[in-house]
Amino acid sequence: TKDGEYRWFHASGVTHRDENGKPVKIIGLLLDIYDDKLKTMELENLLERYDLINQVLIEAPWDMRIHNGDTDNAELWFSPQFRKVLGYASEKDFPNSFESFANSLHPEDKERVLEQLSESLNDYSGKTPFNMEYRLRKKDGEYRWFQAEGGALRDENGAPLRLAGTIRDITFEKNKEIAIEKMNESINQLNDSINEMVNA
């Protein structure tokens, strides 16, 4: 800029051509995205810091014993860390039951998660990975995004005997993805408006 400051801009435009394809004029604009760029960079730095810290923290483990392939009557164990990330203090607040987990799932994620869990357990080859992302409701009602990973112990026929894994809060990462998506949508809408203006 005139005062010597460098700012971030998004340049967008279209070339208007004659019937032979030769360029006649270019119509475009510069969109000042300096503030959004700083916020994105700040968010990326925060996310890097969060990831580094998260790598040295103990993730929230859980364990499930399965009898005759019946998950409804499975014996579950949630670690203190698991309850803590959801805001619960003890088993009294968050019982060791499959319902505790299932009832905490976001309504939009519940069917998908339970289907994936079932597919992973019922694949006796053990090749279906248990790795998914979903939202869980905390005790205060807030929904947070989690990355869940686990592995199954199986008998000689491949039937699941035990499933254990961890969850990791990835809400910061998800919020970043959503912010970038919204920014890209705004830019695409702006480009469409320019095209309509030129072709009108």
Side-chain angles (χ1 to χ4, degrees):
T1 58
K2 185 178 180 180
D3 61 5
E5 178 190 13
Y6 284 97
R7 295 183 67 84
W8 281 97
F9 289 87
H10 176 80
S12 181
V14 292
T15 303
H16 188 66
R17 302 174 183 274
D18 64 18
E19 61 275 5
N20 298 316
K22 292 183 179 180
V24 177
K25 61 182 176 180
I26 298 176
I27 299 177
L29 55 80
L30 288 177
L31 179 65
D32 189 331
I33 60 168
Y34 183 76
D35 291 336
D36 288 338
K37 189 73 174 179
L38 287 185
K39 289 178 183 177
T40 300
M41 293 168 66
E42 183 180 351
L43 185 59
E44 287 175 351
N45 288 332
L46 179 64
L47 183 59
E48 284 181 3
R49 186 185 310 130
Y50 171 80
D51 282 340
L52 289 172
I53 293 172
N54 199 59
Q55 288 175 17
V56 299
L57 292 176
I58 299 174
E59 294 185 330
W62 55 270
D63 177 58
M64 179 168 64
R65 291 178 181 271
I66 304 163
H67 303 286
N68 301 319
D70 183 9
T71 55
D72 290 335
N73 295 316
E75 297 176 23
L76 270 92
W77 170 81
F78 298 110
S79 67
Q81 295 97 328
F82 191 103
R83 290 190 174 89
K84 184 177 180 180
V85 297
L86 294 180
Y88 295 99
S90 66
E91 186 179 348
K92 183 178 180 181
D93 283 341
F94 195 83
N96 284 326
S97 68
F98 191 76
E99 288 73 20
S100 295
F101 168 74
N103 292 336
S104 297
L105 286 166
H106 193 286
E108 294 176 4
D109 301 334
K110 188 171 184 176
E111 183 178 355
R112 171 180 59 86
V113 171
L114 297 183
E115 282 182 1
Q116 288 186 26
L117 176 60
S118 178
E119 287 174 7
S120 179
L121 288 173
N122 292 323
D123 180 3
Y124 283 22
S125 70
K127 294 180 180 179
T128 302
F130 182 78
N131 188 329
M132 64 186 83
E133 297 176 357
Y134 50 71
R135 286 162 288 182
L136 289 175
R137 186 182 65 250
K138 295 179 61 180
K139 185 177 182 179
D140 62 9
E142 177 192 9
Y143 280 99
R144 307 273 303 177
W145 278 99
F146 290 91
Q147 172 74 44
E149 297 185 44
L153 177 66
R154 301 176 181 273
D155 65 16
E156 63 277 5
N157 298 315
L161 300 173
R162 192 169 185 173
L163 183 66
T166 60
I167 60 170
R168 179 174 65 91
D169 192 323
I170 58 169
T171 306
F172 281 122
E173 297 161 63
K174 279 293 183 180
N175 285 344
K176 177 190 173 186
E177 291 175 10
I178 293 170
I180 291 173
E181 259 180 43
K182 288 183 178 179
M183 188 168 66
N184 288 335
E185 284 177 9
S186 298
I187 290 172
N188 289 335
Q189 289 173 2
L190 189 60
N191 288 338
D192 290 341
S193 298
I194 293 172
N195 288 328
E196 288 177 8
M197 179 179 66
V198 170
N199 296 325

